[in-house]
């Protein structure tokens, strides 16, 4: 096949003469580095935030009960809970004479001196550091007099308190490269160099790149012969963990914003490879990115034992909510039925 003239766009089906050797491999690496040096390096940090689907209102930090049905309460794992009040909306705005409050949870009666759960003098239940095992049904027994002359009234209010955690968000990319023969060591060396460059590209965003799959195949081109191609699949995810404090309190630090910036940098990097390749007057390197093959999928997954269920949890539709409150086993996530499927383009499933 005849090579294209200098400066003309190389079409996807073009193949250089099959000459293997380190000079052409070095040319492929130089091509990567040329695309890499043009990238920007923004400065970012971290942010503790509520899930995107959680609708915060003024009353969200104080939860009132109902005498007709159990009220659902969502508490982020390892965080302080909202105030769970032992009143109904009507009683909250009424006087109560000599009120008496008593709370019972999955482990029995809750005393005010408890280190993890506190009952205030006005009957509010507050958790200081919510754990999975604290999820379950909580009942408040209220005794009070509407007026001094009336008899004592009794009321029982139930709450179902769920632990939830942020989904694990990440981007999954696929890209194809014209390659050396599939048994060539140059393909392996190029793969390592590509991952190093991609990792350095998103390092300042506190993100990481992980190789999911790398395969070499011989591809029959339309109206052309066979050519070797590398199929790369890699992920870009945030380095956030729940094991330590997050040092940033700026709105630009939240993981979804940083991941979005990382995605833009990676897309720009691959576009720049095409631009650098188009400006070359020399023969094509042995390994080069095939224009238009970069594909991206946004995925959010829950950890084992947690799942998303918009119908069951409409007030927290994008939260990864514990699946079985009161019977959580951290070593067994199989009881969570909504976690058994995995969907692309915003998949919501367990890891």
């Amino acid at each position: 096949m005849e090579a294209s003239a200098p400066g003309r766009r190389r079409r996807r089906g073009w193949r250089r003469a099959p000459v293997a050797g380190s000079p052409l491999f070095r040319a492929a690496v130089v091509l990567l580095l040329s695309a890499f040096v043009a990238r920007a390096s923004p400065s970012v940090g971290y942010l503790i935030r509520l899930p995107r689907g959680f609708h915060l209102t003024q009353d969200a930090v104080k939860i009132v009960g109902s005498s007709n049905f159990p009220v659902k309460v969502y508490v982020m794992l390892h965080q302080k809970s909202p105030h769970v009040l032992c009143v109904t909306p009507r009683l909250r705005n009424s006087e109560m004479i000599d009120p008496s409050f008593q709370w019972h949870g999955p482990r029995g009666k809750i005393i005010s001196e408890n280190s993890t759960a506190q009952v205030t003098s006005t009957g509010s239940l507050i958790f200081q550091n919510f754990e999975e095992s604290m999820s379950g049904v909580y009942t408040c027994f209220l005794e009070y007099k509407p007026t001094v002359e009336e008899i004592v009234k009794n009321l029982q209010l139930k709450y179902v308190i769920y632990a939830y955690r942020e989904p694990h968000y990440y981007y999954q990319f696929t890209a194809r490269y014209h390659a050396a023969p599939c048994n060539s060591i140059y393909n392996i060396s190029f793969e390592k160099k590509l991952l190093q460059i991609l990792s350095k590209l998103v390092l300042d965003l506190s993100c990481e790149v992980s190789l999911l799959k790398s395969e070499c195949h011989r591809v029959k081109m339309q109206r052309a012969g066979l050519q070797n191609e590398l199929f790369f699949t890699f992920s870009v995810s945030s380095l956030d963990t729940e094991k330590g404090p997050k040092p940033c309190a700026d709105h630009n630090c939240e993981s979804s914003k940083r991941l979005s910036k990382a995605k833009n940098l990676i897309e720009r990097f691959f576009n720049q490879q095409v631009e650098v390749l188009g400006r070359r007057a020399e023969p094509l390197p042995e390994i080069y990115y095939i224009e238009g093959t970069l594909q991206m999928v946004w995925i959010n997954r829950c950890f084992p034992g947690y799942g998303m269920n918009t119908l069951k949890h409409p007030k927290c539709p994008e939260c990864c909510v514990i699946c079985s409150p009161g019977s959580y086993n951290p070593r067994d996530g199989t009881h969570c039925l909504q976690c058994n499927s995995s969907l692309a383009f915003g998949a919501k499933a367990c890891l």
Side-chain angles (χ1 to χ4, degrees):
M1 182 176 293
E2 190 175 351
S4 58
R8 186 182 302 172
R9 172 177 287 185
R10 278 75 171 179
R11 299 191 318 191
R12 185 180 179 278
W14 186 89
R15 294 186 64 204
R16 67 162 204 92
V19 179
S22 58
L24 287 175
F25 171 71
R26 287 197 297 269
V29 174
V30 170
L31 181 66
L32 280 181
L33 293 174
S34 299
F36 171 70
V37 294
R39 58 100 179 174
S41 177
S43 176
V44 294
Y46 301 85
L47 173 70
I48 297 178
R49 66 183 181 92
L50 290 170
R52 292 180 298 161
F54 191 84
H55 304 295
L56 182 65
T57 64
Q58 286 186 343
D59 290 330
V61 293
K62 292 186 178 180
I63 310 297
V64 296
S66 172
S67 55
N68 300 320
F69 54 85
V71 173
K72 295 179 180 179
V73 182
Y74 303 93
V75 184
M76 179 174 277
L77 194 63
H78 306 310
Q79 300 295 320
K80 185 177 180 179
S81 73
H83 290 222
V84 184
L85 309 185
C86 188
V87 291
T88 62
R90 182 183 63 83
L91 288 176
R92 188 181 182 186
N93 299 314
S94 303
E95 283 189 346
M96 293 186 293
I97 307 299
D98 296 328
S100 173
F101 310 94
Q102 190 175 108
W103 281 92
H104 288 258
R107 299 180 180 178
K109 183 179 179 180
I110 300 174
I111 57 176
S112 58
E113 292 80 11
N114 194 318
S115 59
T116 57
Q118 174 189 359
V119 178
T120 68
S121 59
T122 57
S124 296
L125 177 64
I126 308 170
F127 296 94
Q128 298 299 326
N129 182 21
F130 202 78
E131 304 286 347
E132 293 100 336
S133 59
M134 298 178 184
S135 299
V137 178
Y138 288 78
T139 305
C140 180
F141 299 91
L142 170 63
E143 292 185 355
Y144 71 99
K145 289 182 178 181
T147 64
V148 176
E149 292 79 13
E150 295 186 58
I151 62 173
V152 174
K153 291 191 173 184
N154 297 280
L155 186 62
Q156 180 176 315
L157 302 175
K158 286 187 178 292
Y159 299 84
V160 185
I161 302 182
Y162 297 90
Y164 76 90
R165 62 195 303 177
E166 289 277 21
H168 176 61
Y169 299 106
Y170 66 94
Y171 285 103
Q172 181 173 300
F173 290 87
T174 57
R176 295 165 68 171
Y177 278 79
H178 186 282
C182 286
N183 59 353
S184 172
I185 62 172
Y186 295 117
N187 292 335
I188 299 175
S189 299
F190 183 84
E191 172 191 306
K192 293 180 179 178
K193 180 61 66 176
L194 176 63
L195 288 177
Q196 289 175 2
I197 291 176
L198 291 174
S199 297
K200 190 173 182 180
L201 192 69
V202 300
L203 181 62
D204 290 342
L205 293 164
S206 296
C207 294
E208 65 177 350
V209 174
S210 302
L211 180 65
L212 302 179
K213 185 169 61 175
S214 176
E215 297 176 344
C216 183
H217 297 279
R218 299 186 70 196
V219 180
K220 170 65 172 66
M221 306 307 300
Q222 294 179 357
R223 301 181 181 181
L226 293 169
Q227 73 176 28
N228 302 305
E229 291 189 13
L230 289 172
F231 291 70
F232 287 109
T233 303
F234 60 94
S235 66
V236 181
S237 59
S238 170
L239 288 172
D240 291 348
T241 65
E242 296 178 348
K243 295 182 179 180
K246 301 179 182 180
C248 178
D250 188 88
H251 72 281
N252 290 320
C253 298
E254 61 182 78
S255 59
S256 62
K257 291 183 180 295
R258 290 185 289 107
L259 278 174
S260 180
K261 291 180 179 180
K263 174 186 73 75
N264 294 336
L265 286 176
I266 288 175
E267 290 177 334
R268 187 188 313 165
F269 169 70
F270 280 90
N271 289 334
Q272 287 166 347
Q273 290 183 66
V274 175
E275 295 173 4
V276 172
L277 194 66
R279 294 194 297 266
R280 284 178 60 90
E282 301 84 3
L284 287 175
E286 188 164 26
I287 305 174
Y288 61 86
Y289 168 63
I290 300 175
E291 182 178 359
T293 61
L294 183 68
Q295 302 292 327
M296 182 273 298
V297 176
W298 165 257
I299 296 176
N300 53 353
R301 297 177 183 267
C302 295
F303 292 89
Y306 292 79
M308 294 182 184
N309 191 322
T310 304
L311 296 178
K312 186 176 181 181
H313 305 293
K315 291 188 176 180
C316 210
E318 295 188 20
C319 305
C320 287
V321 181
I322 193 169
C323 299
S324 298
S327 60
Y328 176 73
N329 183 351
R331 297 183 179 179
D332 179 16
T334 58
H335 59 279
C336 180
L337 298 180
Q338 68 263 39
C339 295
N340 292 339
S341 60
S342 179
L343 304 174
F345 294 100
K348 299 177 181 179
C350 283
L351 291 174

